[in-house]
Amino acid sequence: MEAHIQVRNLNAYYGKTQALKNINIEIPRRQITVIMGPSGCGKTTLLKTFNRFLELNDGASVTGEVLVDEQDIYAKDVDVTEVRKRVGLLAQRPAPLPMSIYENVAYGLHIHQMRKGKLEYKEAVKHYLEVAGLWDEVKKRLHEPATGLSIGQQQRLCLARGLAIEPEIILGDEPTSALDPISSQHIEKKLLELKSQYTTVVVTHTLRQAKRLADYAIFMYLGEVVEAGPAHAIFTNPQQERTRAYLEGLF
Amino acid sequence: MTDQNKTYTTQTNTQTEGRSSRPSSAARNWRDRSAQKTFLVITVFPLLLISAITIGLLWRSWPILTQYSLQELFLGSVWKPDEGLFGFLPFIMGTFWVTVVGVVLAVPPCLLIALYLSEYAHRLTRSIAKPLLDLLAAIPPVVYGVWGLLAIVPFVGKVVAPFSKQWLYSIPFLAVNQPTGFSILSAGIVLAVMIAPLVISVVYEVFTTVPNDLRHASLAIGATQWETIRYVVIPRVMPGIVAAVVLGASRAVGETIAVLMVVGNVSQVPGSIFDTAYPLPALIANNYGDMMSIPLYDSALMCAALVLLVVILIFNILSTVVLQRVLERRQV
């Protein structure tokens, strides 16, 4: 297994409360890694350290290292916007920006000046809407406000928006928890389709989703990583008592 | 045990006492209803007052409104009450100029301050800066007037006006004809400082209605904070910002004492920001009570007050309606 993200001695704090305790894990390249655990175990906090989102919370602090391709994203000379361009995020609730569907996808391209001329933009927007499986539903209303879409469509739009900036890593923070079952299926299907091209890390609190998606699984409890390994091994033969209890639905 | 017993006894006592003097439920309901009605009347009173003032002004200005055409009153530029000439144009234009200059000077820095406080500032900075800014609103207008008289008028007269005279004279509205410092510009500067706390705090409120999810969505694709502000935060709250500016303007339109101390009070239609002007509030405050023997003079001043009131009411109602819509979205 080739690691894309390596986490070394990572601790995270909200004020004086320690949310992550000495995390050491590796996330494999171009596979889906699922982080699971009961609510409050720190799985979202861990995810937020991968795109330097934790520092948006007032009073949050981090020690240790997160290496993406061997480069510490918490090093002093690192440009946060570059990190976030490489590490995309699919949030829990879709947040379409207050602009048209087209502009939502073009936004990142425009900010990072990744295309030139109207035609290139149009092509790119179409391409990523197709990848996200939304093109056919929106091609006739590209210039309408994105807030007019259904919530499931909004989440696929957010996926297209995130993919447009060509990240290497996709983070999903319970990306289907606000969606109806059909829309959730859409998103899961997309993540599975895309996993050969992107390293994907998904936080989930539903065990069934974890089993459907995971190639690699991490189980967390009370701010610590209890067990991490290939999904098959974790789900069929967990080594830790707490993992076993969680998988059996004891908490 | 003893303690518990004691409490028990006291409770029984109060209960029996209460029962013996308990009012009938009809009496209690009557009291409830009368309380409700009293509060209603008290609440409605300010509304009645506004209507009464408006009607009163209309009634008192009726004589002049019937004797002169609106065109004569509002487009006439000669104000000679003793000759029967009541042209309001100099005063309307004076109010307009002073307000526009005040708003134009106030809005850019106010926007930046509100943006800084809501988007960039650390919690601690915010908790110190906000109350200090609100304190600016507590300074009495007459103090601003004195400050304008001692600091701004000489500054405009000795520094800005000569500079403009030398370099900017060909630009419209910047010609220097009356270089005393008593000018629209001085009044505008004083007004800008006076309306700043209001504009800052309303714009700040408006910015806080933008959900963090939106900011995060933008930051997550590698936008800087400035890009997030420019493309996400500001477009979403544009109507609220405009409303805040209009609210500030309505405050500026009505400001009297600080303006009349620095604006010169000469009834002419101004042609430059270095000219003196005579805004409506100053006209009313300076003249009401004097020279009341002149026919229709009293009615003319009432008419000026009516114009002022109507303008301010319209500004306020518009901005309040828009702001309420914007602020309601906070919950979404």
Side-chain angles (χ1 to χ4, degrees):
Chain A
M1 164 188 119
E2 194 215 339
H4 197 171
I5 306 176
Q6 292 162 291
V7 179
R8 291 191 188 148
N9 308 321
L10 184 76
N11 292 283
Y13 307 83
Y14 292 109
K16 283 175 185 156
T17 324
Q18 187 165 10
L20 294 177
K21 294 170 192 159
N22 197 32
I23 308 283
N24 284 283
I25 46 164
E26 301 198 330
I27 307 254
R29 191 183 295 274
R30 297 206 181 99
Q31 292 187 12
I32 297 184
T33 298
V34 168
I35 306 176
M36 53 189 180
S39 34
C41 69
K43 48 193 193 303
T44 296
T45 305
L46 178 60
L47 195 79
K48 281 182 174 176
T49 63
F50 296 165
N51 70 340
R52 296 209 27 194
F53 245 41
L54 199 63
E55 63 208 53
L56 298 180
N57 291 61
D58 263 341
S61 59
V62 170
T63 66
E65 292 179 333
V66 175
L67 308 172
V68 175
D69 282 329
E70 325 255 288
Q71 185 204 7
D72 183 10
I73 61 168
Y74 283 93
K76 274 214 167 108
D77 55 341
V78 168
D79 179 359
V80 184
T81 58
E82 276 306 308
V83 172
R84 292 181 188 151
K85 185 182 171 304
R86 288 168 66 190
V87 186
L89 172 73
L90 198 54
Q92 193 163 11
R93 269 182 310 160
L97 299 172
M99 36 183 101
S100 71
I101 296 167
Y102 179 92
E103 287 167 329
N104 259 275
V105 183
Y107 180 58
L109 298 169
H110 169 69
I111 278 176
H112 297 291
Q113 302 190 324
M114 295 165 70
R115 291 290 188 281
K116 275 184 194 141
K118 244 184 169 171
L119 198 69
E120 276 187 41
Y121 270 99
K122 271 188 178 165
E123 277 170 8
V125 169
K126 180 176 184 229
H127 173 70
Y128 287 106
L129 283 171
E130 278 170 350
V131 173
L134 192 63
W135 174 252
D136 287 333
E137 291 159 62
V138 300
K139 62 185 173 195
K140 284 184 184 145
R141 49 195 283 211
L142 285 176
H143 298 286
E144 290 174 26
T147 41
L149 297 172
S150 77
I151 193 154
Q153 290 172 323
Q154 287 182 8
Q155 191 65 313
R156 277 179 281 152
L157 179 68
C158 291
L159 183 63
R161 184 177 69 197
L163 293 177
I165 54 167
E166 294 162 21
E168 303 154 21
I169 299 170
I170 305 173
L171 307 178
D173 180 9
E174 304 193 17
T176 63
S177 65
L179 308 183
D180 61 274
I182 305 282
S183 304
S184 302
Q185 263 181 25
H186 272 300
I187 294 286
E188 281 188 21
K189 208 175 105 205
K190 282 298 153 197
L191 292 178
L192 288 168
E193 278 173 26
L194 293 168
K195 77 173 181 185
S196 57
Q197 300 165 55
Y198 301 92
T199 299
T200 310
V201 188
V202 177
V203 162
T204 179
H205 63 244
T206 57
L207 198 52
R208 270 174 295 178
Q209 185 176 55
K211 284 180 178 167
R212 284 194 299 267
L213 292 178
D215 299 308
Y216 192 83
I218 296 169
F219 173 63
M220 291 184 70
Y221 188 63
L222 297 177
E224 291 175 77
V225 168
V226 176
E227 197 167 350
H232 184 71
I234 297 266
F235 288 128
T236 55
N237 186 22
Q239 301 300 306
Q240 299 287 326
E241 196 47 47
R242 281 177 294 179
T243 318
R244 193 173 319 222
Y246 179 75
L247 292 175
E248 283 168 9
L250 292 184
F251 60 93
Chain B
M1 261 330 256
T2 26
D3 267 10
Q4 274 182 352
N5 267 336
K6 229 191 237 164
T7 351
Y8 182 65
T9 345
T10 9
Q11 268 180 0
T12 354
N13 274 344
T14 25
Q15 267 177 12
T16 26
E17 271 169 29
R19 198 169 293 150
S20 62
S21 63
R22 208 174 86 178
S24 72
S25 95
R28 289 173 57 210
N29 284 335
W30 180 83
R31 228 178 273 168
D32 186 32
R33 275 198 305 273
S34 47
Q36 194 189 345
K37 275 180 192 144
T38 315
F39 299 154
L40 175 70
V41 169
I42 295 171
T43 314
V44 167
F45 185 71
L47 291 175
L48 291 177
L49 197 61
I50 282 196
S51 324
I53 290 175
T54 317
I55 293 166
L57 285 178
L58 193 62
W59 178 60
R60 294 283 298 272
S61 50
W62 197 249
I64 198 160
L65 286 172
T66 46
Q67 288 196 21
Y68 292 84
S69 69
L70 288 180
Q71 205 177 352
E72 281 173 299
L73 286 177
F74 297 124
L75 296 179
S77 54
V78 183
W79 178 260
K80 281 184 180 155
D82 38 357
E83 293 169 24
L85 293 169
F86 295 99
F88 281 120
L89 193 64
F91 309 102
I92 292 172
M93 290 315 283
T95 301
F96 174 79
W97 277 72
V98 164
T99 304
V100 167
V101 171
V103 169
V104 165
L105 290 176
V107 167
C110 286
L111 278 185
L112 298 183
I113 291 170
L115 264 176
Y116 176 74
L117 288 177
S118 95
E119 307 297 315
Y120 289 106
H122 191 266
R123 231 183 330 174
L124 192 69
T125 323
R126 192 155 46 208
S127 66
I128 297 170
K130 276 279 287 164
L132 279 179
L133 286 167
D134 291 338
L135 205 62
L136 280 179
I139 297 174
V142 69
V143 175
Y144 279 112
V146 171
W147 169 68
L149 210 51
L150 296 179
I152 302 303
V153 169
F155 172 68
V156 170
K158 292 189 181 127
V159 181
V160 187
F163 176 82
S164 182
K165 190 165 192 164
Q166 195 158 12
W167 304 104
L168 309 170
Y169 56 90
S170 55
I171 301 172
F173 310 133
L174 291 181
V176 182
N177 309 313
Q178 296 155 329
T180 58
F182 287 95
S183 60
I184 290 166
L185 182 60
S186 303
I189 293 172
V190 172
L191 271 180
V193 178
M194 291 180 74
I195 64 173
L198 177 71
V199 176
I200 291 170
S201 87
V202 177
V203 174
Y204 174 83
E205 280 294 304
V206 164
F207 281 134
T208 59
T209 63
V210 178
N212 270 333
D213 281 3
L214 275 186
R215 294 189 180 90
H216 289 178
S218 171
L219 294 173
I221 42 182
T224 60
Q225 256 187 306
W226 170 242
E227 285 156 350
T228 303
I229 290 168
R230 192 174 147 202
Y231 297 115
V232 178
V233 176
I234 291 182
R236 195 182 143 99
V237 296
M238 207 53 207
I241 295 174
V242 173
V245 170
V246 173
L247 201 62
S250 87
R251 176 77 215 283
V253 167
E255 180 47 46
T256 310
I257 185 74
V259 170
L260 84 82
M261 287 168 80
V262 300
V263 80
N265 304 325
V266 177
S267 65
Q268 56 171 2
V269 177
S272 153
I273 60 169
F274 294 102
D275 286 356
T276 55
Y278 206 163
L280 285 166
L283 170 76
I284 301 163
N286 276 343
N287 296 300
Y288 197 77
D290 296 342
M291 301 186 288
M292 283 311 187
S293 53
I294 300 172
L296 288 176
Y297 196 69
D298 152 87
S299 185
L301 291 183
M302 287 299 125
C303 185
L306 183 68
V307 170
L308 203 57
L309 183 71
V310 168
V311 169
I312 290 176
L313 279 182
I314 291 172
F315 276 27
N316 263 290
I317 291 170
L318 282 182
S319 53
T320 310
V321 168
V322 175
L323 277 173
Q324 259 173 4
R325 290 222 179 126
V326 172
L327 294 178
E328 268 165 18
R329 283 203 307 208
R330 196 196 312 250
Q331 278 86 35
V332 179

